[in-house]
Amino acid sequence: MGPRPQPGTPPPPPRPRPAGTRWRSICAAVVLALPASLISAAPAGAEVSHPRQQWLRESTAGLFLHWGMLTAPRHLNCQEWERDVTAGGWSADYWVDEARKLGASYIVLATFHSRLGYARPWPSKIPGSCATERDLLGELVKAGKAKDVRIILYMTDDPQWHNELGTETLDSPAYSAYKGERVDLTTRAGFGMYSYDLFFEVMENYPDLAGFWIDNDNEYWERNRLYEQIREKRPSWLLSNNNEDTPIMDTVSNEQKTGMTPSYDYPQAAWTPMPRLVEADYKLPTTGSWWYDGGDHPVDFRLSTGRYVTNAGSSMKSLMAETPMVNGRFPPDQERFNAFMSQWVPPIRSSLQGTEGGGYMYGGMQPGFWNDGAHGVVTVERGAKTQYVHVVTRPRTDMVRLRDNGYKVTSVSDLRTGERMRFTQSGGHLTILGIRTWDAYDTVFKVQTAGQPYFYDQSALKASASSAREGHPAGDLVDGGFQTYWDGDRRLPVSVTLDLGKRRKATYLAVDQREWSPTYARESFGRPEDSARIKDYRVYVSAHGRSWGQPVRTGALRSARGVQFIDIGEQHARYIKLEVLTTWSGPQAPTFHRELKIDEIRVAYGHPNSLLPPLPLEAESLGNDRDGMARLHLCRSCSGAFEVTGLGGGTRNALTYRDVTVAEAGNHRLQIDHTSAAATSLSVSANGAPAVDVPIAGDNAEVPASTAISVPLRAGANTVTLFSKAGKGPGIDRIAVGPLPPESYVPRTTMTVEPAGMQWAGSGQQSIKVSATLRLDDDDMIDKVRMAPVPLQGWSVQGDAVTATTMRLGQTLEASWTLTSPPGQDVGSVDIPIKASFETLGRPSEVTRQLRVRPRPADRVFMREAEDSRNRLGSSGITNCSPCSGGQKVRNIGGGPDAYVEFEDVTVDTAGTYTLFIDYTVNGDRSFFVSVNGGTPVEAAVSGIGNSTPQTTSIPVTLRQGTNTIKLYNHQTSAPDLDRLSLAK
């Protein structure tokens, strides 16, 4: 290795780095995840797995501490802050002990933070920002080493908050004198040089530190090979990067993800596949800042424990942020949570530490949504012989039922109590029965297994595909490894064909999709994200691979993490073709749209079964009455391996359950698991009441599907009779009865309205064409669906409401209308609701989006928001901005040719020169480049402080009559954030 630069000396010439910093763009070059004993030191720049990471891989959690000179009460003088820290009794041991209560193996100390005064809690010889005389960092490292808690130091790349309070916190003259040259620390380049020197000072003085947690990148660091030099000087230290997957880093940290259902399931928003080390970085106080702002903000125990468990269930590390006060102590609510965790975690520690997430590359049963409202995750010991089922949201009944992923279960016990649990296996499910004791936050069952006996060996399979991206062939689907994957090359529909080698039995496919996208549409730091997973699909089988006939299964897969299953009944074929028709991501997230990636597809030919005890309310139970032609029928994918068929033609052919017992009278949720090859209907009568007719979707006569309705039942025993008025009714696998979901429950939907964003209307009567799409994202069916605008007084609507009798997972409802404002007057400020109403289990619900219309100022001939859906954003993204027009703006413009905002259909009545007004926010000095109709760009240079105050600049532009295109970009460096554009003559 060449000589290493020391603080105060010029850096060596830069060495070229691989093009691109995103993991997904160079993942073919990374080191595969192998046991640590088999990995030698890999080249810097490609270290997904390395022995130095082992301690973190075995960890569950870390403690993130934001603390510094601007911790409340804020200090604007470094010496006064240090005096109050010491006088208040600050203790390194206190922090280490509190971390251990949380089960944290490491502490990330964030004092050199842009919003905390760039404080350095160590004696520094490098002037430039606050530095203490007392070696607080050294004391913390020493205390952590004594109690096996590692310390990682936070470093920021961002100088923009240097004078947030009106007092300069960065001392450019002092650092310039130290360097012997003029350096402005308030610029990214100058701050990069200063912080670069600090990295080396810390590495030299604190060899027992565990690494650096780096809040994004600085161009100066990258240009001068900072990370490579850290690797050379401190090869055992870890590097973590926030919100970006930089290949040389050991860890990717995902900051404060929200918006998922349930709210605690943090991994739904993650976008980095295993075996990459991933942190979930979140606040424990549910309100307030990342640092102590003077308030004792509450800690939501339910949310925080749920995050802790679900992160472990996805092999993610919970980096929990607490807010120490000036004296280092935590506010009382945080201390109470830490004390609670010190008692709550130990009984289930074996299921959280030293385990991996189940349902992914390490094996294990399927996590996610289970029966009767239950939700949870699975953790596994290496080899997956021992698995832990974590029920984070308990079901509304006394049992838990989840897909077993082909594992033969030998025993189940409650991990906390040691109680042996009754269980049954059939139809691909494990059901744990008779659960009487539920933990308030996580009921954990220890499940012993004896392998997956009904899967074909991957080495016996071959795969081909209708398309594949170079470097990711179809063969990667069956190579037994999760580090390689097939990529569909942005083609939809696309198909993959599995060759079993000879004609064999097949019952289902286990599909492991690449976990590189969130499970739902969201915006993260101004960039649109969405799920790249399979939505609509068809499955065909063939004896020779030339003709395929009709599909044996058609349906939609849920957008969810972990292994997903496609049941196909009992098929006998050599070839199986999975045709993917659509994926969940929409075009608003171009990074994920049509980007299908699959790690592995496995083929099963049967299910593990247990003889006793049977699952309650099986159709074949001896206590049921079967009238007329109703009879037992073998169904290997059904629960208990049997169903009742022969329903049809009315009440003479019926199945009656005689002992459906509930504790309380009232309406209950009745779930019917049924099979049918074609669409039909089922009639349900409870206690002899008039029957309710239920539509049944047809797909495969050997694969159970579920339909749920609300039925009134009395306390105690009830009878439930099932029959069909159709010529041929469905087969009945089983029923399940439980309480209705809470009144607040609404199945998850996605509703979009276009145009989106504030609409600026000119003078006089106006007509606006609006379209809407409703998509069902949940397993529960919705009924009596209706979608239409709600016209305001004086407005007219051209176009009818669109309706659907029922909607199932992944189905959409679409319509367009023309809305016309009152005649003879200008448009006022109005919000027009677009409403979708529907029923779930007999309960009404609705989803509403607003079309926001405002009058355009009289001196403007055109005005449009940057976030308007008619614009093209490239890789830029929309983010909230409360002071901005319309409450949003577009950020992440510039830095490359793909990050821009393009306004199409900018219409003017006459050709000529116009004034283009650009509303923006910015921190520092930045520029837009503006191109009209593809012409020579004009630079619009602007300056500002804080990036949260909208400002306006203007330039002249020449437009042609009719429609024009205006594009704002900056190919070289970051541009300001854009609020809106307007034109004046």
Side-chain angles (χ1 to χ4, degrees):
M1 297 293 181
R4 308 182 191 103
Q6 299 300 315
T9 63
R15 184 176 70 184
R17 298 188 68 199
T21 60
R22 296 283 175 183
W23 158 247
R24 58 179 172 267
S25 65
I26 66 167
C27 54
V30 301
V31 174
L32 304 184
L34 299 173
S37 61
L38 300 181
I39 303 176
S40 60
E47 294 173 328
V48 171
S49 189
H50 192 279
R52 66 170 169 271
Q53 302 165 358
Q54 194 60 34
W55 71 265
L56 184 55
R57 291 190 180 277
E58 294 172 354
S59 302
T60 302
L63 177 58
F64 205 176
L65 300 180
H66 292 75
W67 180 73
M69 193 170 71
L70 301 186
T71 296
R74 292 168 170 171
H75 291 73
L76 299 180
N77 179 279
C78 187
Q79 289 72 35
E80 292 177 359
W81 171 62
E82 181 180 358
R83 180 197 65 203
D84 289 348
V85 167
T86 298
W90 181 88
S91 165
D93 282 310
Y94 170 80
W95 279 356
V96 172
D97 290 342
E98 293 297 299
R100 286 165 60 88
K101 291 178 183 179
L102 290 167
S105 302
Y106 63 107
I107 293 174
V108 177
L109 180 60
T111 58
F112 189 69
H113 189 284
S114 57
R115 305 295 298 279
L116 290 170
Y118 303 96
R120 293 171 292 162
W122 69 87
S124 176
K125 296 181 180 179
I126 304 172
S129 65
C130 171
T132 60
E133 292 184 7
R134 179 181 176 184
D135 193 356
L136 303 171
L137 176 60
E139 292 179 34
L140 183 60
V141 170
K142 182 178 179 180
K145 184 177 181 181
K147 297 178 181 179
D148 198 26
V149 174
R150 289 170 169 82
I151 310 302
I152 295 174
L153 186 64
Y154 172 103
M155 297 292 281
T156 184
D157 73 317
D158 183 9
Q160 68 170 307
W161 303 102
H162 58 94
N163 62 349
E164 181 182 8
L165 301 178
T167 298
E168 183 59 64
T169 55
L170 294 176
D171 191 346
S172 295
Y175 182 67
S176 297
Y178 169 79
K179 294 293 287 186
E181 61 179 293
R182 186 175 179 179
V183 182
D184 184 354
L185 298 187
T186 69
T187 66
R188 289 189 61 82
F191 187 81
M193 179 185 293
Y194 169 56
S195 51
Y196 177 94
D197 286 350
L198 298 183
F199 277 101
F200 285 94
E201 181 180 60
V202 168
M203 284 191 288
E204 184 67 30
N205 294 338
Y206 301 96
D208 289 331
L209 200 69
F212 293 112
W213 200 99
I214 298 171
D215 202 350
N216 298 313
D217 292 318
N218 184 285
E219 294 86 349
Y220 185 93
W221 302 345
E222 295 180 309
R223 188 170 64 252
N224 293 293
R225 300 180 56 248
L226 171 64
Y227 307 140
E228 290 85 349
Q229 293 181 78
I230 294 172
R231 285 281 179 257
E232 295 169 11
K233 187 173 181 66
R234 297 295 181 201
S236 67
W237 286 18
L238 295 184
L239 293 175
S240 181
N241 197 213
N242 189 24
N243 295 312
E244 184 175 345
D245 194 346
T246 306
I248 196 171
M249 302 290 182
D250 296 284
T251 307
V252 182
S253 197
N254 291 260
E255 180 181 331
Q256 196 64 16
K257 305 300 186 185
T258 58
M260 59 286 294
T261 302
S263 59
Y264 60 74
D265 192 5
Y266 204 99
Q268 287 190 34
W271 41 264
T272 312
M274 302 173 190
R276 195 71 158 125
L277 265 173
V278 177
E279 288 175 324
D281 166 22
Y282 57 91
K283 298 188 297 182
L284 284 181
T286 52
T287 59
S289 301
W290 285 91
W291 46 87
Y292 181 66
D293 57 14
D296 183 15
H297 298 285
V299 178
D300 185 330
F301 282 35
R302 173 70 173 154
L303 176 66
S304 300
T305 55
R307 285 173 165 175
Y308 194 92
V309 171
T310 54
N311 289 333
S314 288
S315 297
M316 293 172 59
K317 312 306 172 186
S318 288
L319 182 54
M320 299 169 284
E322 295 196 321
T323 60
M325 298 179 285
V326 172
N327 64 1
R329 295 193 69 87
F330 299 123
D333 268 8
Q334 294 171 47
E335 283 192 328
R336 280 191 289 271
F337 180 75
N338 297 351
F340 161 77
M341 289 288 281
S342 70
Q343 301 299 313
W344 182 75
V345 170
I348 60 171
R349 191 183 306 277
S350 61
S351 70
L352 297 170
Q353 294 188 354
T355 59
E356 297 285 1
Y360 304 95
M361 65 177 291
Y362 301 104
M365 293 178 280
Q366 186 185 42
F369 290 92
W370 299 328
N371 64 295
D372 301 301
H375 183 274
V377 295
V378 177
T379 55
V380 299
E381 295 180 359
R382 286 285 180 173
K385 181 177 181 180
T386 301
Q387 305 186 28
Y388 300 93
V389 175
H390 297 260
V391 186
V392 183
T393 296
R394 61 158 294 184
R396 295 181 295 272
T397 57
D398 64 352
M399 68 180 189
V400 171
R401 188 169 186 258
L402 69 157
R403 285 297 296 242
D404 58 26
N405 198 9
Y407 285 94
K408 175 66 177 175
V409 176
T410 58
S411 69
V412 179
S413 60
D414 186 311
L415 184 60
R416 281 191 172 87
T417 67
E419 178 187 1
R420 291 184 65 85
M421 306 300 299
R422 294 186 300 123
F423 70 92
T424 185
Q425 263 191 290
S426 62
H429 290 81
L430 166 67
T431 305
I432 305 172
L433 299 162
I435 305 170
R436 296 168 296 179
T437 304
W438 297 95
D439 183 78
Y441 305 113
D442 181 23
T443 304
V444 187
F445 297 104
K446 184 177 182 178
V447 179
Q448 298 290 350
T449 69
Q452 297 168 286
Y454 294 101
F455 278 113
Y456 290 116
D457 191 312
Q458 293 292 84
S459 64
L461 308 181
K462 295 180 180 179
S464 59
S466 60
S467 66
R469 182 164 289 165
E470 185 177 358
H472 301 285
D476 289 345
L477 291 166
V478 293
D479 65 355
F482 281 69
Q483 298 82 19
T484 57
Y485 60 91
W486 167 75
D487 186 312
D489 199 25
R490 298 184 71 93
R491 307 287 180 87
L492 287 177
V494 65
S495 64
V496 296
T497 301
L498 303 176
D499 180 356
L500 307 187
K502 61 181 179 181
R503 189 171 183 267
R504 294 181 173 183
K505 184 172 74 171
T507 56
Y508 67 91
L509 307 178
V511 183
D512 292 279
Q513 299 175 80
R514 194 115 182 110
E515 302 292 352
W516 73 286
S517 66
T519 65
Y520 60 101
R522 56 176 282 117
E523 292 167 7
S524 181
F525 288 85
R527 295 194 186 277
E529 298 177 353
D530 206 345
S531 173
R533 295 167 178 82
I534 298 169
K535 186 164 79 77
D536 299 299
Y537 68 85
R538 291 193 290 246
V539 180
Y540 300 83
V541 298
S542 172
H544 42 68
R546 293 187 295 274
S547 60
W548 296 93
Q550 294 298 309
V552 297
R553 186 76 198 276
T554 300
L557 282 183
R558 187 174 190 144
S559 178
R561 287 175 60 83
V563 59
Q564 301 297 310
F565 300 98
I566 300 176
D567 293 296
I568 58 176
E570 188 170 312
Q571 306 297 328
H572 294 268
R574 174 173 174 173
Y575 296 94
I576 303 173
K577 180 166 68 174
L578 170 62
E579 184 179 28
V580 179
L581 306 177
T582 61
T583 53
W584 283 94
S585 179
Q588 89 289 347
T591 301
F592 303 98
H593 184 46
R594 303 168 66 92
E595 286 282 6
L596 178 62
K597 308 176 195 295
I598 303 178
D599 286 321
E600 290 290 302
I601 299 180
R602 293 167 296 146
V603 181
Y605 56 90
H607 300 287
N609 286 279
S610 56
L611 298 177
L612 294 172
L615 197 63
L617 301 180
E618 295 282 7
E620 67 269 19
S621 295
L622 297 178
N624 298 340
D625 290 342
R626 297 191 298 272
D627 298 326
M629 298 295 293
R631 60 192 180 276
L632 291 183
H633 182 264
L634 185 65
C635 174
R636 298 191 186 279
S637 294
C638 291
S639 176
F642 287 94
E643 63 179 335
V644 170
T645 60
L647 307 186
T651 57
R652 67 181 182 274
N653 301 314
L655 169 66
T656 300
Y657 288 83
R658 290 293 180 190
D659 190 17
V660 180
T661 303
V662 296
E664 298 180 0
N667 287 338
H668 288 68
R669 182 182 188 272
L670 173 67
Q671 177 178 309
I672 307 160
D673 292 356
H674 48 74
T675 64
S676 183
T680 183
S681 65
L682 183 69
S683 297
V684 183
S685 172
N687 298 317
V692 175
D693 293 328
V694 181
I696 301 297
D699 183 29
N700 186 305
E702 297 177 336
V703 177
S706 298
T707 300
I709 62 173
S710 176
V711 296
L713 298 176
R714 58 198 179 206
N718 296 261
T719 61
V720 174
T721 300
L722 309 177
F723 61 93
S724 178
K725 298 174 184 177
K728 182 177 182 180
I732 305 300
D733 177 12
R734 61 184 288 267
I735 65 172
V737 177
L740 289 174
E743 290 283 351
S744 59
Y745 169 71
V746 177
R748 185 172 171 179
T749 59
T750 296
M751 184 178 179
T752 56
V753 171
E754 292 188 352
M758 189 87 76
Q759 301 303 302
W760 296 95
S763 60
Q765 187 178 31
Q766 300 290 321
S767 291
I768 302 173
K769 186 174 182 179
V770 59
S771 62
T773 301
L774 178 72
R775 186 185 72 198
L776 179 61
D777 300 346
D778 215 323
D779 292 326
D780 277 342
M781 181 176 65
I782 59 176
D783 308 307
K784 301 178 182 178
V785 189
R786 183 182 188 274
M787 185 168 64
V790 180
L792 304 180
Q793 184 175 5
W795 285 72
S796 62
V797 178
Q798 181 181 351
D800 297 327
V802 61
T803 62
T805 304
T806 63
M807 287 177 63
R808 293 182 177 271
L809 175 68
Q811 292 183 335
T812 58
L813 191 65
E814 302 178 13
S816 296
W817 308 270
T818 299
L819 309 181
T820 304
S821 64
Q825 63 187 66
D826 292 341
V827 174
S829 294
V830 296
D831 292 345
I832 304 173
I834 314 297
K835 184 170 74 173
S837 60
F838 50 87
E839 289 187 1
T840 307
L841 297 170
R843 294 172 175 170
S845 299
E846 65 179 46
V847 179
T848 302
R849 297 289 181 267
Q850 301 289 340
L851 176 67
R852 305 177 66 194
V853 184
R854 300 292 184 268
R856 193 171 65 213
D859 64 340
R860 298 292 196 267
V861 297
F862 171 87
M863 181 175 287
R864 188 189 297 168
E865 299 295 324
E867 66 270 16
D868 193 293
S869 59
R870 291 170 292 183
N871 299 333
R872 298 175 58 201
L873 302 186
S875 63
S876 302
I878 299 169
T879 191
N880 291 331
C881 173
S882 57
C884 293
S885 172
Q888 293 181 308
K889 64 179 179 178
V890 173
R891 65 178 294 187
N892 292 323
I893 305 169
D898 62 334
Y900 58 84
V901 185
E902 188 170 75
F903 288 70
E904 298 180 321
D905 296 327
V906 178
T907 305
V908 294
D909 292 334
T910 60
T913 300
Y914 291 77
T915 300
L916 176 66
F917 294 93
I918 305 171
D919 294 351
Y920 65 91
T921 69
V922 73
N923 188 75
D925 301 324
R926 297 188 180 185
S927 293
F928 291 112
F929 286 88
V930 183
S931 173
V932 177
N933 296 321
T936 302
V938 174
E939 183 177 6
V942 297
S943 182
I945 297 175
N947 207 29
S948 59
T949 302
Q951 303 177 73
T952 303
T953 190
S954 63
I955 60 171
V957 293
T958 300
L959 302 178
R960 59 196 178 202
Q961 181 182 10
T963 60
N964 297 263
T965 298
I966 300 177
K967 182 177 181 179
L968 284 79
Y969 61 94
N970 188 326
H971 288 173
Q972 302 305 314
T973 188
S974 296
D977 295 348
L978 183 62
D979 183 6
R980 69 180 178 187
L981 294 185
S982 58
L983 291 168
K985 184 61 177 169

